[in-house]
């Protein structure tokens, strides 16, 4: 499958859907105005395709994220998977949305809730790591992974509702 195929999921709330769409010369349609992820996906799709065209078969998702993420103003924890099997998880620079991951010899998993990972994998609190603001967890198709700084971290503005609501496994 071409590396330009992109699946995207996440917990997002952007305040500027129209500006990123203008960068790729599209006016956001009704769907993009109603869905933050649709606007994000449009921008990421465009950058992924252009990166793959410039360097066929050698597309670098870190470079794509460094170009796209500064355009997104708001709180987000989103993940994506490319057609070549590479995947990523990204957290906003202010740490508005929570973001956690767990890695062992068999699995790499991320969620916006620590309790969800702890419950699903029956692991201790200290085994689930926080993805720090402005960073991305990059997972290559071969199973290798790294944590990459994408944008500089800014003043923490964590959403108190999410911290309280998602702090329990139930």
């Amino acid at each position: 499958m071409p590396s330009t195929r992109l699946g995207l999921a996440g917990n997002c709330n952007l305040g500027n859907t129209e500006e990123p769409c203008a960068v790729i010369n599209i006016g956001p349609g009704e769907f993009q105005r109603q869905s933050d992820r649709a606007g994000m996906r449009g921008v990421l799709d465009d950058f992924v395709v252009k990166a793959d065209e410039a360097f066929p078969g050698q597309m670098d998702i870190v470079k794509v994220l460094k170009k796209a993420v500064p355009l997104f103003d708001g709180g987000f924890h989103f993940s994506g998977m490319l057609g070549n099997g590479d995947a990523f998880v990204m957290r906003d620079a202010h740490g508005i949305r929570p973001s956690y991951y767990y890695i062992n010899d068999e699995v790499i998993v991320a969620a916006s809730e620590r309790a969800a990972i702890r419950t699903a994998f029956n692991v201790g609190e200290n085994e689930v790591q926080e993805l720090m603001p402005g960073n991305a967890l990059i997972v290559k198709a071969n199973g290798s992974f790294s944590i990459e700084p994408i944008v500089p971290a800014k003043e923490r503005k964590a959403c108190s509702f999410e911290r309280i609501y998602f702090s329990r496994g139930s």
Side-chain angles (χ1 to χ4, degrees), residues 32-107:
Q32 285 86 353
R33 284 191 182 95
Q34 294 176 11
S35 169
D36 299 326
R37 270 187 311 285
M40 294 172 94
R41 187 175 186 280
V43 171
L44 286 164
D45 260 347
D46 186 71
F47 290 172
V48 164
V49 168
K50 287 177 180 169
D52 194 57
E53 288 172 353
F55 302 100
Q58 301 174 18
M59 199 268 305
D60 184 347
I61 193 62
V62 172
K63 288 181 181 177
V64 169
L65 290 172
K66 284 184 177 187
K67 186 175 177 182
V69 170
L71 300 173
F72 306 143
D73 183 21
F76 51 82
H77 155 95
F78 66 88
S79 60
M81 179 172 255
L82 299 166
N84 66 1
D86 291 351
F88 60 90
V89 176
M90 180 70 221
R91 186 177 188 192
D92 68 89
H94 286 287
I96 296 169
R97 294 288 185 255
S99 189
Y100 298 96
Y101 65 93
Y102 169 69
I103 300 171
N104 69 16
D105 292 338
E106 298 176 9
V107 68

Side-chain angles (χ1 to χ4, degrees), residues 11 98 112-116 161-169:
N11 180 352
S112 60
E113 309 151 30
R114 181 188 302 257
F161 168 77
E162 298 224 21
R163 294 283 180 197
I164 296 165
Y165 182 78
F166 292 134
S167 65
R168 302 146 116 205

